[in-house]
Amino acid sequence: MQTSWWLWALVAVCTGDQFRDEAERIMRGTPVIDGHNDLPWRLLTMFNNRLQIERANLTSLANTHTNIPKLRAGFVGGQFWSAYTPCDTQNKDAVKRTLEQIDVIQRMCQMYPETFVCVTNSAGIRQAFREGRVASLVGVEGGHSIDSSLGVLRTLYRLGMRYLTLTHSCNTPWADNWLVDTGEDKAESQGLSHFGQSVVKEMNRLGVIIDLAHVSVATMKAALRLSTAPVIFSHSSAYSLCQHRRNVPDDVLRLVNQTGSLVMVNFYNDYVSCRQEATLSQVADHLDHIKKVAGAGAVGFGGDFDGVSRLPVGLEDVSKYPDLVAELLRRRWTEAEVRGALANNLLRVFEAVEQVSDHTQSPEEEPIPAAQLQASCRTMYGYSEAPSLHRQPGALLASLTTVLLGLGLL
């Protein structure tokens, strides 16, 4: 009996090694594209974006989930780096902060060209794979980063932004965030306002991927129905397995399936298990569930490394991706399904977004109504005399009152 127990233990260990070896073989040909990594924010908070400080050296960077050796060990071949700025910058210096975070991503590519190459299209990702470098893309996390301006949206596109998360954990004047579904925020746009719909259309025209992580369910559904290209959830998990409002409910997963869209599973414990502790196996459960409801083509990885405080046992940093892939193989995922989750599903979505884009089409240019803006830290040039901006009577009366007070007539 004792001999039999050891024999089965030995078989289990050997089988585990087999799946791990198979995972590495697959990932050498199809490395992972991760949908969301907050290392740029860590570089801001730790070093104020001073990359030349010795402690900021990415080959030896400590106390982070991400550095170059860990990326190599994890077979990460593509990364959407988050250009993130918190909600308290909204109506203040959000655009400036976003530009600084895009700059730090681009400087990472300049300082470590043997490891990172900044790319802006699907062909660039494939080329980076062939070169053995990490294709580095900019994902702007939070619609407040465009300050309700289509001109800023277009400018960020020219600077390399290839996805925009429509909200972070706050409403914009044109889209509702996930806290609306908890009752902590009030719905203001009922999903997407008229201007929010213009943002989605302009993103389609430009070729910017629409990211629905952090948005309300109403915003998810509105964007999925309006967009002419597939969308992504860059770092969200399955609501049926963990009832957290940052996750994606099954009725939305069915829309994901119908639109050829993608859910890149988040590893944050609170979204995986709804507890402070979680395991790699529970992350695989989310991948299984999304595959079951939305199809194998709807699954990806969006670890949220360096953006969260708690990670599952077995997924402590970016080097652990092969262990997760081994678990999927153990669960009888086919090689094609695994390659899809690693990179091919994201590449398909990105290529579809590129095909829908049309820079010969006239851009959206109707500004957001002035009455929908919080103007305390904002000038209002262009609104006073421009035609057809639909200023509401209250806003017009307020402007007239200001003028009359200035003239001493009130």
Side-chain angles (χ1 to χ4, degrees), residues 199-265:
V199 171
V200 167
K201 292 175 183 176
E202 187 66 356
M203 291 172 70
N204 283 163
R205 188 192 73 83
L206 288 168
V208 177
I209 302 169
I210 295 159
D211 176 24
L212 300 181
H214 284 279
V215 306
S216 70
V217 169
T219 307
M220 294 177 191
K221 292 179 177 179
L224 279 159
R225 289 168 177 153
L226 177 62
S227 176
T228 54
V231 309
I232 67 169
F233 293 77
S234 67
H235 55 306
S236 297
S237 297
Y239 183 80
S240 285
L241 299 189
C242 171
Q243 281 79 56
H244 194 292
R245 288 299 183 178
R246 270 284 283 105
N247 289 338
V248 188
D250 282 0
D251 58 341
V252 175
L253 287 178
R254 287 187 278 273
L255 284 175
V256 166
N257 172 266
Q258 294 168 18
T259 56
S261 296
L262 181 65
V263 179
M264 309 182 86
V265 169

Side-chain angles (χ1 to χ4, degrees), residues 163-229:
Y163 79 59
L164 173 67
T165 316
L166 296 189
T167 72
H168 193 252
S169 298
C170 53
N171 291 342
T172 66
W174 45 272
D176 292 335
N177 85 103
W178 67 276
L179 290 170
V180 165
D181 296 329
T182 71
E184 294 177 61
D185 279 353
K186 181 180 178 182
E188 297 173 355
S189 298
Q190 318 311 316
L192 289 171
S193 72
H194 179 74
F195 182 80
Q197 294 173 30
S198 295
V199 171
V200 167
K201 292 175 183 176
E202 187 66 356
M203 291 172 70
N204 283 163
R205 188 192 73 83
L206 288 168
V208 177
I209 302 169
I210 295 159
D211 176 24
L212 300 181
H214 284 279
V215 306
S216 70
V217 169
T219 307
M220 294 177 191
K221 292 179 177 179
L224 279 159
R225 289 168 177 153
L226 177 62
S227 176
T228 54

Side-chain angles (χ1 to χ4, degrees), residues 30 67 128 144 181 238-239 270 273 281 291 297 306 346 353 359:
T30 307
N67 62 27
H144 58 283
D181 296 329
Y239 183 80
D270 296 41
S273 65
S281 179
K291 175 187 163 189
D306 283 303
L346 185 281
V353 169
H359 288 225

